Amino acid sequence: RMYKRQMMCRRDIDVHNVPFLAIYEFLIPPEEEKLKQKQLVALLEKLVSKEWPTAKLFLYGSCANSFGVSKSDIDVCLAIEEADVDKSKVIMKLADILQSDNLQNVQALTRARVPIVKLMDPVTGISCDICINNLLAVVNTKLLRDYAHIDPRLRQLAFIIKHWAKSRGVNETYHGTLSSYAYVLMCIHYLQMRRPAILPCLQEMETTYSVTVDDVNCAYFDQVETLGDFGHHNRETIAQLVWGFFYYWAYGHDYANAVISVRTGSIISKREKDWTRRIGNDRHLICIEDPFETSHDLGRVVDKHSIKVLREEFERAAEIMQFDPNPCIKLFEPY
Ligand code: CTP
Ligand code: MG
């Protein structure tokens, strides 16, 4: 009898696939936005090459990892080969160059944890942040993009979770909640852990791509087009996955002991990472291991107040998915 009831629930929830997919489609950036981004990058390349002829520009973050929704800002990394560049000096110089070429709102933020130049291009209307030599971000962007190509449900799930997090105000690291990058890793990990698995663990497979950046070796299997329809043994739908994701973070995750790890495709223990107590400002109240900088906990921004906010939001979302006849409205209600 129990089994029958559960089956009913699973099928009931599938009526929400249509609205969830409609939200996903609505959030996808239109082709012309991508063209405008390319146009802006080409302009930046031209300006940068005058001052630094051998430098390269890389896109990273949501404009390049395929998890970007419509009207996002773009993240650019200026890679300069000289050893020990003084990043603040480069930032100041870059701001000068951009300022004198009609770009608007040019701001040099030299004191930020990651120093950046911010700007707005009046021609395309796109805002952009440029950082210097942050190549690990470029590499983790590629990892996320490669995961997105394996199964379409990852991109769908991540769009919906990011949209939920932005609507509910829990996507603000300066308020102690999680970055978009952290949410995407949570989605990848969730799909790696499904049985049958929807995503493989690329870092545990044969190495086909390997670079060393800032003394970190980044190696994984990147020939994802050869994986075929990897997740086809698992027929879970987007509505079931959204439900399961929230249920996991509301009631299933062991906050006291567990670290989620995309690198291993499994849960590892806080003890093993020595993340059991507060060190400096890292409280490790929700633990998400960075796939390459494995000493980075992406949950380190979360404090004893914001962990409560987060967990209450996960519980609220799980309740809505379970009981609300119209979850797509309630779930994304502004906070
Ligand atoms: N990043 C990182 N480590 C972090 C946070 C971010 O390496 N702790 C890098 C990642 O490469 C990430 C990029 O910075 O893709 C941008 O981060 P974020 O703004 O969180 O993600 P976006 O994908 O750009 O999301 P949004 O659409 O909200 O801009
Ligand atoms: Mg971004």
Side-chain angles (χ1 to χ4, degrees), residues 135-149:
L135 288 169
L136 274 167
V138 176
V139 177
N140 68 37
T141 292
K142 172 173 158 62
L143 179 72
L144 266 48
R145 187 177 57 235
D146 287 335
Y147 270 115
H149 285 152

Side-chain angles (χ1 to χ4, degrees), residues 80-90 132-133 214-215:
I80 297 180
E81 292 223 339
E82 296 159 47
D84 308 319
V85 286
D86 179 340
K87 287 192 186 175
S88 324
K89 272 195 191 146
V90 177
I132 314 297
N133 288 356
D214 302 342
D215 297 325

Side-chain angles (χ1 to χ4, degrees), residues 1-16 240 243 321-322:
R1 265 190 86 173
M2 281 296 283
Y3 182 66
K4 211 167 184 178
R5 237 180 84 189
Q6 208 182 346
M7 289 300 283
M8 280 298 287
C9 284
R10 281 170 62 105
R11 212 169 307 144
D12 283 350
I13 204 161
D14 280 340
V15 303
H16 307 309
Q240 288 166 17
W243 177 87
M321 289 305 295
Q322 186 78 333

Side-chain angles (χ1 to χ4, degrees), residues 141-206:
T141 292
K142 172 173 158 62
L143 179 72
L144 266 48
R145 187 177 57 235
D146 287 335
Y147 270 115
H149 285 152
I150 300 171
D151 194 294
R153 288 171 287 185
L154 171 59
R155 196 167 175 235
Q156 295 164 359
L157 179 66
F159 269 51
I160 286 162
I161 300 304
K162 277 179 64 175
H163 183 51
W164 163 82
K166 285 182 206 286
S167 313
R168 301 300 301 166
V170 289
N171 178 210
E172 296 174 72
T173 47
Y174 47 90
H175 288 151
T177 54
L178 299 170
S179 65
S180 297
Y181 177 57
Y183 282 113
V184 175
L185 290 173
M186 289 157 79
C187 292
I188 295 173
H189 185 257
Y190 182 70
L191 299 185
Q192 286 177 327
M193 296 291 281
R194 304 311 298 147
R195 291 298 173 265
I198 295 178
L199 292 178
C201 174
L202 296 176
Q203 287 170 276
E204 297 266 276
M205 296 166 65
E206 172 204 352

Side-chain angles (χ1 to χ4, degrees), residues 249-266:
W249 286 101
Y251 309 114
H253 183 69
D254 179 359
Y255 286 81
N257 303 300
V259 175
I260 65 153
S261 162
V262 164
R263 172 181 59 98
T264 59
S266 67

